[in-house]
């Protein structure tokens, strides 16, 4: 490994979690950053809640 | 991490340390991951035969309309215990067997993290299996409540239900301990240089599955415990007369039940992700995507449970929510299917038995996934709920998905486990017989379901007669084909040709590149160095 992975910014963790939601991610991108489990869990829970919230609001909008 | 000894192909080097205990105590008191893995696999095959015989009793009765062979109560008991035994006794332990054998070897660890707990995890299974079988002989016979054990049927069933509940408690404990062991092993015992993103995908799928198990097995334990207290201790969790709600049971059960589907499917994905690259002679396409897709499927699996209960009564908003969320799971699953296809693209493909089973998995699991999408659509599901369409759907996922993948894995790793090769011709026979008879059995059940035949009935109207007869013939063919599998495995162990250390030249995980065949009783006492 040439360059050491850098600590991830919030935006990078978010990008990682979102790519997990679709299931598509470049390997190079995955190895570039270093994330801690705490970061993933917090961002993951928030993104999960947003995901559920989005579907719920779509449903609300349709059944209005 | 100072040990940087790189064991190459020094045959028998590890054998010096192998002071195998002999006799029955080798197995009863075993703390060796390979022996425990072997026991898991044989146990699950035994349960596969028991559950298979139950399936054949069901199909015998359904061969013709009218009641010929068994009483309706016994028929109901058969559908119930066929499901329970196949899910908890056959498929899940089979993949735990794979995990025990392979995870330490694939990450370069000497054994599982908690070898004694590993022993306990396994030895809890036989008593649970005995309870499930003993339930048939309880007063009033087995509990004919369906494998989902829905209230209020389950709160009213006879004493067999208590044996069943206890069996599920024990099985749950075993699964949770097994999962803790797997998580700890993978996170803490990887060889130097074996980063998480360098692990074979099989280890990744088991890491994710183990988290799923730890999350949902307690939920199932809670559901059946509430059933138990409703039955005996005067609670009213599921009793509407006492202020409870039977639909609550369905919510709790399926909050476990839907992730359970993925607990079975994800390790199967892992096996296929080892087999397809090996026989395509290419690395797995989109490794990182596969890891992320698996994680995604696992997370989404917690958000979709009520698609199993559209007809139980819920507001249209909830139906829409669960429909949309369910449809979205097709995205990561599609990513995986495309990745497997892309792995084969322009590869040097050969079609030995493991690859045939992996391809059978790929085709038929995709078909089962599609019928799942059909069922996720609320108005369609309201028509098809509790029909044979559902039975066909989940057998495509469970049998052509999980079981075919387990067969692929067994043929793939038999040379490594036993040091001997199976008979390739017979293996191919096993595949083609299984493939044909599987489809004869289950494809026609789609038509039965679309025509309105309900599941879990011992008798049916005349218009369903032909397809049921075809399905029953297929079922007996499928069942008998599995005896060929038993013969192939026994013949391989006793008199197969000597296998090479790296029997499949396309296989590149540590158990093939660093260990002889058969894998020595103790392996990687000094960890290999992974570059």
């Amino acid at each position: 490994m040439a360059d050491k992975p850098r600590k991830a910014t919030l935006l990078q963790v978010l990008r990682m979690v979102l790519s997990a939601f679709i299931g598509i991610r470049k390997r190079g991108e995955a190895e570039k950053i270093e994330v801690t489990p705490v970061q993933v869990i917090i961002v993951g829970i928030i993104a999960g809640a947003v995901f559920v919230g989005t579907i719920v609001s779509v449903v609300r909008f349709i059944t209005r | 991490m100072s040990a940087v000894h790189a064991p190459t192909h020094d045959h028998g080097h590890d054998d010096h340390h192998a002071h195998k205990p002999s006799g029955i105590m080798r197995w009863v008191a075993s703390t060796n991951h390979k022996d425990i893995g072997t026991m898991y696999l044989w146990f699950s095959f035994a349960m596969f035969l028991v559950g298979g015989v139950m399936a054949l009793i069901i199909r015998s009765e359904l061969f013709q309309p009218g009641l010929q062979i068994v009483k309706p109560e016994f028929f109901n008991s058969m559908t119930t215990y066929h499901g329970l035994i196949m899910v908890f006794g056959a498929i899940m332990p089979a993949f735990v067997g794979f995990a025990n054998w392979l995870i330490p070897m694939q990450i370069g660890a000497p054994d599982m993290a908690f070898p004694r707990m590993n022993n306990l995890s396994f030895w809890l299974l036989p008593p649970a299996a005995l309870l499930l079988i003993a339930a048939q002989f309880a007063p009033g016979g087995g509990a004919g409540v369906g494998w989902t054990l829905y209230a209020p049927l389950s709160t009213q069933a006879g004493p067999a239900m208590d044996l069943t509940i206890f069996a599920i408690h024990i099985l749950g404990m075993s699964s949770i301990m097994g999962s803790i062991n797997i998580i700890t092993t993978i996170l803490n015992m990887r060889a130097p240089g074996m980063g998480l993103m360098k692990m074979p995908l099989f280890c990744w799928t088991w890491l994710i599955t183990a988290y799923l198990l730890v999350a949902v097995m307690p939920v199932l334990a809670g559901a059946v415990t509430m059933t138990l207290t409703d039955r005996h201790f005067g609670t009213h969790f599921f009793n509407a007369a006492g202020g409870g709600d039977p639909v609550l049971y369905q919510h709790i059960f399926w909050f476990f039940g839907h992730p359970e589907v993925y607990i079975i499917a994800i390790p199967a994905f892992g096996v296929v992700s080892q087999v397809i690259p090996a026989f395509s002679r290419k690395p797995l396409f989109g490794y990182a995507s596969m890891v992320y897709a698996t994680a995604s499927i696992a997370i989404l699996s917690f958000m979709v449970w009520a698609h199993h209960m559209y007809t139980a009564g819920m507001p249209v908003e909830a139906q829409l929510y669960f429909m949309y969320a369910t449809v979205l799971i097709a995205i990561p699953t599609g990513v995986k299917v495309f990745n497997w296809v892309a792995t084969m693209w322009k590869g040097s493909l050969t079609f030995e038995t493991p690859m045939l089973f992996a391809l059978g998995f790929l085709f038929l699991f995709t078909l089962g996934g599609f019928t799942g999408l059909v069922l996720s659509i609320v108005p369609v599901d309201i028509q098809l709920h509790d029909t044979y369409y559902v039975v066909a759907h989940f057998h495509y996922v469970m049998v052509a998905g999980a079981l075919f993948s387990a067969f692929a894995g067994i043929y793939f790793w038999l040379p490594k486990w036993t040091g001997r090769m199976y008979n390739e011709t017979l293996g191919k026979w096993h595949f083609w017989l299984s493939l044909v008879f599987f489809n004869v059995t289950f494809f026609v059940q789609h038509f039965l379901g679309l025509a309105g035949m309900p599941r879990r009935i011992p008798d049916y109207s005349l218009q369903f007669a032909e397809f049921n007869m075809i399905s029953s013939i297929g079922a007996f063919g499928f069942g008998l084909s599995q005896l060929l599998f038993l013969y192939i495995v026994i013949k391989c162990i006793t008199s197969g040709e000597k296998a090479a250390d790296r029997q499949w030249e396309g296989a590149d995980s540590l158990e093939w590149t660093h260990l002889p065949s058969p894998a020595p009783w103790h392996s990687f006492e000094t960890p290999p160095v992974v570059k």
Side-chain angles (χ1 to χ4, degrees):
Chain A
M1 233 181 280
D3 16 279
K4 247 187 156 271
R6 281 174 302 127
K7 266 238 147 58
T9 62
L10 182 66
L11 210 66
Q12 282 172 318
V13 181
L14 187 66
R15 227 178 116 81
M16 174 181 153
V17 169
L18 291 182
S19 32
F21 275 18
I22 332 174
I24 301 176
R25 180 116 167 123
K26 276 195 194 136
R27 194 183 180 118
E29 223 174 328
E31 280 168 358
K32 241 186 339 211
I33 55 168
E34 190 187 333
V35 286
T36 62
V38 182
Q39 284 174 308
V40 181
I41 291 167
I42 293 173
V43 178
I45 289 174
I46 294 170
V50 171
F51 173 75
V52 171
T54 313
I55 303 181
V56 169
S57 30
V58 169
V59 169
R60 282 269 162 83
F61 177 74
I62 291 172
T63 53
R64 215 165 29 152
Chain B
M1 294 291 171
S2 58
V4 283
H5 165 65
T8 43
H9 293 79
D10 47 349
H11 294 230
H13 161 81
D14 291 296
D15 289 343
H16 295 300
H17 310 287
H19 305 294
K20 269 189 220 178
S22 55
I24 185 116
M25 287 314 282
R26 170 183 170 186
W27 304 100
V28 173
S30 178
T31 53
N32 181 290
H33 72 101
K34 298 186 182 82
D35 282 355
I36 293 173
T38 304
M39 288 196 288
Y40 263 108
L41 287 165
W42 278 110
F43 171 83
S44 66
F45 188 75
M47 286 293 104
F48 175 58
L49 292 185
V50 173
V53 168
M54 292 176 167
L56 293 184
I57 292 172
I58 294 170
R59 283 312 327 167
S60 305
E61 180 54 57
L62 294 175
F63 185 72
Q64 283 187 326
L67 293 173
Q68 286 96 10
I69 298 172
V70 296
K71 287 182 179 155
E73 297 80 8
F74 185 66
F75 183 92
N76 289 342
S77 163
M78 286 297 100
T79 56
T80 305
Y81 291 91
H82 164 70
L84 287 172
I85 285 178
M86 286 304 200
V87 169
F88 295 104
I91 298 183
M92 288 171 66
F95 284 108
V96 182
F98 279 105
N100 264 297
W101 254 102
L102 297 169
I103 288 174
M105 294 201 293
Q106 290 191 330
I107 62 173
D111 205 307
M112 297 295 279
F114 306 114
R116 291 179 183 178
M117 189 163 82
N118 206 10
N119 174 294
L120 182 59
S121 304
F122 173 76
W123 281 109
L124 282 175
L125 294 179
L130 287 178
L131 281 173
L132 288 178
I133 293 166
Q136 309 307 314
F137 305 99
V145 298
W147 85 279
T148 51
L149 314 174
Y150 272 6
L153 265 184
S154 58
T155 48
Q156 295 161 359
M161 191 65 214
D162 299 317
L163 300 183
T164 309
I165 289 172
F166 191 37
I168 287 176
H169 278 143
I170 297 176
L171 290 164
M173 278 191 261
S174 163
S175 288
I176 291 170
M177 282 192 280
S179 304
I180 292 171
N181 219 335
I182 288 167
I183 293 171
T184 317
T185 307
I186 293 179
L187 293 185
N188 291 324
M189 296 179 67
R190 299 192 310 282
M194 176 63 80
L196 279 175
M197 290 304 275
K198 279 187 184 162
M199 291 195 303
L201 204 82
F202 177 75
C203 298
W204 257 113
T205 54
W206 248 112
L207 180 63
I208 292 166
T209 305
Y211 275 107
L212 279 182
L213 272 168
V214 170
V216 300
M217 288 315 281
V219 178
L220 175 67
V224 294
T225 307
M226 288 153 94
T227 308
L228 188 73
T229 58
D230 267 15
R231 286 167 59 81
H232 297 296
F233 306 116
T235 56
H236 298 287
F237 292 113
F238 309 131
N239 179 5
D245 186 354
V247 178
L248 172 66
Y249 177 86
Q250 299 190 22
H251 278 292
I252 300 173
F253 179 84
W254 286 113
F255 190 75
F256 146 81
H258 198 76
E260 169 69 19
V261 173
Y262 292 94
I263 286 166
I264 289 170
I266 289 177
F269 295 162
V271 169
V272 168
S273 301
Q274 302 297 117
V275 171
I276 289 183
F279 294 94
S280 308
R281 287 150 188 89
K282 275 175 67 194
L284 183 68
F285 183 89
Y287 172 91
S289 288
M290 288 298 238
V291 172
Y292 281 79
T294 312
S296 166
I297 292 171
I299 294 163
L300 286 173
S301 75
F302 283 101
M303 303 179 185
V304 295
W305 74 92
H307 66 211
H308 295 271
M309 355 176 345
Y310 287 146
T311 58
M314 67 172 84
V316 72
E317 286 86 354
Q319 290 181 331
L320 283 173
Y321 166 80
F322 284 109
M323 175 166 85
Y324 294 156
T326 306
V327 171
L328 286 171
I329 294 199
I331 297 171
T333 315
V335 167
K336 297 184 81 76
V337 171
F338 284 123
N339 278 345
W340 287 318
V341 174
T343 305
M344 290 187 284
W345 176 254
K346 291 191 174 175
S348 319
L349 299 171
T350 52
F351 299 97
E352 286 88 346
T353 311
M355 183 62 162
L356 288 177
F357 271 108
L359 291 178
F361 163 91
L362 191 52
F363 278 106
L364 298 177
F365 180 83
T366 306
L367 190 60
F370 271 125
T371 53
L373 270 179
V374 171
L375 288 170
S376 75
I377 313 290
V378 176
V380 179
D381 183 76
I382 286 169
Q383 294 294 312
L384 295 177
H385 186 87
D386 262 347
T387 67
Y388 259 78
Y389 193 88
V390 178
V391 176
H393 155 68
F394 69 72
H395 280 92
Y396 269 79
V397 178
M398 296 287 129
V399 180
L403 184 65
F404 274 29
S405 143
F407 283 147
I410 287 167
Y411 284 112
F412 186 64
W413 280 293
L414 258 184
K416 182 53 65 184
W417 294 341
T418 64
R420 292 170 187 276
M421 254 315 257
Y422 60 87
N423 183 320
E424 192 63 61
T425 315
L426 288 180
K428 284 182 175 155
W429 268 100
H430 175 224
F431 168 73
W432 287 109
L433 288 172
S434 296
L435 183 83
V436 170
F437 282 124
F438 169 80
N439 282 295
V440 171
T441 311
F442 292 109
F443 200 78
V444 292
Q445 294 185 0
H446 291 111
F447 306 138
L448 284 172
L450 289 169
M453 178 172 161
R455 64 192 284 206
R456 295 169 174 160
I457 50 166
D459 187 9
Y460 48 82
S461 350
L462 291 177
Q463 74 267 29
F464 303 129
E466 278 85 5
F467 283 140
N468 268 300
M469 190 178 278
I470 294 170
S471 181
S472 291
I473 293 170
F476 274 87
F478 188 81
L480 292 175
S481 309
Q482 306 322 312
L483 297 180
L484 176 62
F485 172 65
L486 180 63
Y487 173 76
I488 295 168
V489 171
I490 290 174
K491 192 153 177 287
C492 167
I493 295 170
T494 54
S495 60
E497 278 175 39
K498 182 102 186 61
D501 291 349
R502 194 171 180 177
Q503 183 65 34
W504 317 111
E505 79 269 17
D508 59 358
S509 42
L510 291 182
E511 79 275 25
W512 297 106
T513 55
H514 282 60
L515 293 174
S517 293
W521 204 53
H522 290 301
S523 46
F524 294 135
E525 285 162 310
T526 29
V529 174
V530 183
K531 281 183 273 303

